[in-house]
Amino acid sequence: MNTIAFAGLGSMGLPMAKNLLAAGHRVRGIDLNPAALATLAAAGAEPAADVVAAARGAEVLILMVVNAAQAEQVLFDHGALQALEEGGIVCLMATCPPAAVERIAARVTAAGRRFVDAPVSGGTAGASAGSLTIMAACERATFDALQPVFGAMGQRIFHVGERAGQGATVKTVNQLLCGVHIAVVAEAFALAAKVGVDLEVLLEIMGGSAASSWMLKDRGPRMLQAAPEVSSAVDIFVKDLGIVLEAGRDAQAALPIAALAHQFFLATSGRGDGRADDSQVIRSYYALNGAAAHA
């Protein structure tokens, strides 16, 4: 049993924190949303008056915040890092640029705490089910020590390296592939729609062919809906593909296909559809081609 301070009780963070409670860990929530804190408290979390109180005496501080800036705010501006016990573990699980993760790690280790770069994949469904993929970069001993914590939140748990930034890089590659896959499915569907092909039939054919992918099977049906339930928003990929391109610049690696996919998500958001399901990037292709769905 660990005492865990958990910062970031959003659509993924809250179910992750609940799963830690269900596994028997002591959890203290950190969030600006009082409703999220109350929900976690109702599940058995220990109350904390503020960030410092939540982190004081904890062995682990998990950061499932929106971005690196929020992680820095919790750690350094609000005092969570200094409140965490000496030798305690800061576990950054949000999607952040690798270079930013390295900078945060340097400040954490300089303060006498351990740092784990451990972004996740699996979305809200994986967070709720405790089936996330966790990509952790840290010293092996620290990774081993966190197994009871990781096991409460995920099923596919990988040690991807010893150096901070390596976990973020693996997540960056994941988001590159996901974003490009969604965009190219939209492009293919838009071509078929332009000439009047029934997209339901197209989806059935492609789903059973060598052209199939997980994203085609998952996002394809939602592309056929005018306003599908939001599983992951367009703006998530505006952010994440932006991180991909930033990582590419830092590594001096050309990522032209990712850049083009990013432009389509950005255009979709710019027209006011940023909160729509990410499958609706297809609207940008329809707008570009002067076509509409024929499904």
Side-chain angles (χ1 to χ4, degrees):
M1 182 186 295
N2 291 282
T3 300
I4 300 167
F6 198 109
L9 303 174
S11 59
M12 289 186 67
L14 183 57
M16 289 166 67
K18 284 183 174 180
N19 285 335
L20 288 167
L21 286 168
H25 299 287
R26 294 185 294 269
V27 178
R28 302 176 191 145
I30 299 170
D31 202 277
L32 294 175
N33 182 356
L37 290 171
T39 300
L40 189 62
E46 297 180 9
D50 52 32
V51 170
V52 169
R56 185 177 293 119
E59 290 105 2
V60 182
L61 168 59
I62 291 176
L63 298 166
M64 192 61 190
V65 290
V66 172
N67 51 34
Q70 282 194 1
E72 291 172 338
Q73 193 173 46
V74 172
L75 285 169
F76 312 125
D77 298 343
H78 294 167
L81 180 62
Q82 289 303 321
L84 190 67
E85 69 174 23
E86 189 76 19
I89 300 171
V90 173
C91 187
L92 179 57
M93 305 190 80
T95 300
C96 300
V101 173
E102 290 181 47
R103 289 194 300 270
I104 293 170
R107 295 181 67 180
V108 169
T109 55
R113 277 73 176 176
R114 291 175 283 172
F115 184 85
V116 180
D117 167 23
V120 301
S121 179
T124 54
S128 297
S131 61
L132 293 169
T133 297
I134 300 173
M135 300 153 265
C138 59
E139 292 182 353
R140 185 78 204 198
T142 303
F143 177 78
D144 292 341
L146 279 177
Q147 287 307 298
V149 175
F150 287 154
M153 298 182 288
Q155 288 182 348
R156 303 178 72 238
I157 303 165
F158 297 95
H159 185 235
V160 300
E162 299 270 336
R163 192 178 73 248
Q166 291 177 316
T169 297
V170 174
K171 178 61 188 290
T172 296
V173 170
N174 183 83
Q175 295 310 93
L176 187 162
L177 288 167
C178 288
V180 167
H181 283 182
I182 294 169
V184 79
V185 170
E187 183 171 300
F189 279 20
L191 169 61
K194 180 75 173 182
V195 298
V197 171
D198 185 325
L199 296 187
E200 292 279 5
V201 174
L202 181 76
L203 179 59
E204 184 175 356
I205 294 168
M206 295 300 108
S209 77
S212 185
S213 70
W214 190 95
M215 279 298 185
L216 180 135
K217 291 181 178 179
D218 185 79
R219 297 315 201 263
R222 300 211 291 274
M223 288 183 186
L224 275 53
Q225 302 173 35
E229 182 179 348
V230 178
S231 172
S232 175
V234 165
D235 278 345
I236 296 295
F237 273 103
V238 172
K239 175 179 76 77
D240 287 1
L241 284 173
I243 290 173
V244 167
L245 297 179
E246 182 178 336
R249 285 192 298 271
D250 289 341
Q252 294 186 304
L255 306 173
I257 298 175
L260 186 57
H262 183 247
Q263 290 297 303
F264 276 92
F265 283 102
L266 191 61
T268 308
S269 181
R271 288 198 319 277
D273 292 330
R275 294 185 178 180
D277 187 74
D278 57 27
S279 63
Q280 297 310 294
V281 70
I282 196 169
R283 296 175 190 176
S284 287
Y285 283 95
Y286 289 151
L288 182 66
N289 295 327
H294 291 275

